[in-house]
Amino acid sequence: MAKAKTSFFCQSCGHSAPKWLGKCPSCGEWNTFVEELVEATNHPAEVWKTKGSSKSAAKPKLLNEVSFENLPKLTCSDPEFNRVLGGGIVPGSLVLIGGEPGIGKSTLLLQVALSLTQTRVLYVTGEESEQQIKLRADRLAAKSDSLYILTETNTQSIFRHLVDLEPELIIVDSIQTLFSDQIESGPGSVSQIRECALELMRFAKESGTPIFLVGHITKEGSIAGPKVLEHLVDTVLQFEGDRHMIYRILRTTKNRFGSTSELGIYEMLGSGLRPVTNPSEILLSQRDEPSSGIAIGTLMEGNRPLLVEIQSLVSASSYGNAQRTANGYDGKRLSMLIAVLEKRGGYKLATQDVFLNITGGIRVDDPALDLATCMSLVSSYEDKIIDSSICFAAEVGLGGELRSVTRIDQRIAEAEKLGFKEIWISKYNLKGLNYKPNKIKVQSAATLLDVILHIWRQK
């Protein structure tokens, strides 16, 4: 009998090596290499083909001869979920969703399954019992006569049930709990995750059944297991948010059927996750009294314009080195904008502690927020209030100049819809401006200093 082929895999990142290594050359972790079987003794049993409909071997074909069928997407009642996936669930797609423990991954997918009342859905769980799934469904106050629950971790047993049930949608919670008889290592190992994902991928593509996989994440925030897992799937979703806050964000990091910059925002309630159709309302805090250090900026997340509130606190430093703390904002970009204000505006911020916060608990990286960030810093430093009916949309260069930003028409339209009376943009955006506002005044400037002088000169 031939000896089975083995290799050593890093349990942190999936890097393989022919021998044991103390330190992983890929991720730098220590003592993470484990020997695993990489060559099965027999070929995987494709039990879903037992009904006699095996496909013929693929042959080379000219691109012009390839026929394209525009299969209808499966849409659920959750508009945020449909948007993130690119309009709905694509038949035969393999979707991986990751997130921290307790963030709401299982709740989100169970809500989706319960909303598809006309679709036969199989929920495969290896982490929870049937009673736990039932309790969660009761808490969500939703019922479905087409949702089936299967507590199983062996892929061969799962495929036998798939042949009998023929579901139209499959949810696997989670991929780290599955194991295949073809691999001798335990569940959660690199070899098992890769083999189980390959078997599910082959089933999804050959049967046309969409499959959702729940994935665990490491302490660094990346999805646990080999990187090939993210390459295999069609879509990778990341469910983010602070467990101590009520808002959750569903981001797309990979999508073969749509944009990779879309996001969905949810509110965690006692009865489940509520889609937030107008995120700008939750990102703009409601306050009775005006305060300094607050400015409103616009950003684009995919095709969706959002308005966010930027809060700053600038105070004299009590220690030798001034602090620079940013929550939800890039710390290096904050330091750059502070340097621009020092050099071009003459504001002495070197001895000032600067604290910046993006409300709503989200993280932003749109350069169009530069002007709003600078105005927030100056407002706090001078202790002067910015009118709450004014918002900003411009990138700030190192010379203090205002640079144009993309999709300025959509930003202005969103600000007008939310009741803002004035928006400041770069004068270089006027050339490509097509939107004709009715209730909002569009102000333009060439430099950051021009905006600062105009805002507080009219007070």
Side-chain angles (χ1 to χ4, degrees):
M1 181 177 178
K3 183 180 179 181
K5 183 180 179 181
T6 62
S7 184
F8 290 85
F9 291 92
C10 173
Q11 299 301 299
S12 178
C13 67
H15 182 82
S16 62
K19 63 179 181 179
W20 185 87
L21 299 174
K23 181 180 180 181
C24 177
S26 178
C27 65
E29 295 290 333
W30 287 87
N31 298 323
T32 57
F33 276 89
V34 174
E35 186 177 16
E36 296 180 8
L37 187 69
V38 296
E39 185 174 321
T41 56
N42 52 358
H43 295 287
E46 298 177 348
V47 296
W48 62 86
K49 292 183 178 180
T50 55
K51 290 200 172 182
S53 60
S54 178
K55 291 186 176 182
S56 59
K59 299 178 181 179
K61 185 179 293 186
L62 284 172
L63 180 62
N64 295 333
E65 298 176 355
V66 176
S67 61
F68 176 74
E69 297 180 5
N70 192 10
L71 297 176
K73 295 182 179 180
L74 184 63
T75 57
C76 60
S77 59
D78 186 344
E80 298 295 297
F81 196 75
N82 293 331
R83 177 188 292 108
V84 170
L85 290 177
I89 303 171
V90 179
S93 61
L94 189 62
V95 181
L96 175 65
I97 176 172
E100 294 184 358
I103 203 68
K105 304 183 296 296
S106 301
T107 301
L108 175 64
L109 292 178
L110 184 58
Q111 278 189 193
V112 172
L114 290 170
S115 67
L116 299 171
T117 55
Q118 304 299 320
T119 305
R120 193 182 307 109
V121 182
L122 177 62
Y123 193 107
V124 181
T125 174
E127 299 180 346
E128 298 176 299
S129 64
E130 298 173 353
Q131 290 75 20
Q132 288 175 305
I133 303 296
K134 176 63 175 177
L135 287 174
R136 181 181 291 117
D138 292 341
R139 179 169 56 87
L140 297 176
K143 295 182 179 180
S144 175
D145 295 330
S146 58
L147 175 60
Y148 296 83
I149 306 298
L150 174 63
T151 55
E152 181 60 70
T153 57
N154 186 293
T155 56
Q156 276 67 38
S157 299
I158 294 173
F159 287 134
R160 281 192 287 269
H161 289 291
L162 296 181
V163 172
D164 299 331
L165 184 61
E166 295 184 354
E168 299 170 83
L169 176 67
I170 303 170
I171 298 174
V172 178
D173 187 6
S174 65
I175 185 63
Q176 277 81 9
T177 62
L178 299 187
F179 72 94
S180 173
D181 291 335
Q182 314 304 320
I183 302 294
E184 294 183 356
S185 56
S189 63
V190 172
S191 299
Q192 283 287 6
I193 293 176
R194 182 177 59 247
E195 178 65 24
C196 293
L198 281 169
E199 292 180 8
L200 290 170
M201 185 266 292
R202 287 196 295 268
F203 175 81
K205 300 306 178 185
E206 296 187 12
S207 65
T209 307
I211 300 178
F212 284 87
L213 305 177
V214 176
H216 299 167
I217 65 170
T218 62
K219 60 182 180 181
E220 290 81 15
S222 59
I223 296 178
K227 201 66 178 177
V228 70
L229 177 61
E230 297 183 45
H231 290 290
L232 280 175
V233 300
D234 298 306
T235 305
V236 179
L237 306 179
Q238 195 76 20
F239 208 35
E240 304 172 353
D242 190 341
R243 287 187 298 170
H244 304 291
M245 299 185 68
I246 62 174
Y247 297 115
R248 304 286 189 269
I249 297 176
L250 185 64
R251 293 186 185 272
T252 311
T253 59
K254 174 188 176 181
N255 193 355
R256 291 172 177 163
F257 311 110
S259 173
T260 58
S261 55
E262 292 289 356
L263 64 80
I265 299 181
Y266 294 87
E267 183 181 6
M268 177 63 83
L269 303 175
S271 57
L273 292 161
R274 182 185 72 86
V276 179
T277 56
N278 191 1
S280 296
E281 293 182 355
I282 68 170
L283 299 178
L284 301 177
S285 64
Q286 306 296 326
R287 55 186 185 277
D288 296 329
E289 296 295 331
S291 176
S292 62
I294 295 178
I296 309 299
T298 67
L299 76 150
M300 295 295 300
E301 286 287 355
N303 297 320
R304 170 188 285 184
L306 303 176
L307 272 79
V308 296
E309 182 179 291
I310 301 176
Q311 299 176 341
S312 297
L313 178 61
V314 180
S315 61
S317 177
S318 303
Y319 304 97
N321 296 325
Q323 299 182 64
R324 303 284 185 262
T325 304
N327 182 25
Y329 196 81
D330 185 12
K332 293 183 179 179
R333 194 163 192 89
L334 174 61
S335 299
M336 183 197 76
L337 295 177
I338 292 174
V340 171
L341 288 173
E342 282 243 20
K343 183 72 174 179
R344 310 301 177 186
Y347 295 96
K348 305 301 181 183
L349 300 175
T351 58
Q352 303 287 320
D353 289 336
V354 176
F355 304 92
L356 187 78
N357 178 54
I358 305 296
T359 60
I362 70 169
R363 181 165 188 84
V364 298
D365 55 3
D366 192 339
L369 293 174
D370 287 354
L371 180 56
T373 302
C374 290
M375 297 304 296
S376 175
L377 294 172
V378 174
S379 172
S380 179
Y381 179 77
E382 298 285 352
D383 198 20
K384 295 180 179 179
I385 297 173
I386 301 176
D387 195 323
S388 59
S389 64
I390 301 176
C391 60
F392 307 90
E395 180 184 354
V396 177
L398 292 180
E401 74 279 6
L402 297 185
R403 303 174 62 87
S404 60
V405 296
T406 60
R407 299 182 180 178
I408 191 64
D409 295 328
Q410 294 175 257
R411 299 175 193 267
I412 297 174
E414 179 71 10
E416 183 179 24
K417 185 179 72 173
L418 293 176
F420 286 88
K421 304 300 182 184
E422 189 175 317
I423 182 171
W424 281 87
I425 66 174
S426 169
K427 73 172 187 178
Y428 303 106
N429 263 131
L430 294 175
K431 184 178 180 181
L433 184 62
N434 298 318
Y435 181 73
K436 304 299 181 183
N438 297 320
K439 300 180 181 179
I440 188 172
K441 184 178 181 181
V442 179
Q443 300 273 32
S444 62
T447 66
L448 170 63
L449 197 57
D450 292 341
V451 180
I452 295 174
L453 293 175
H454 186 90
I455 288 292
W456 284 292
R457 187 177 61 221
Q458 60 186 8
K459 297 295 182 184

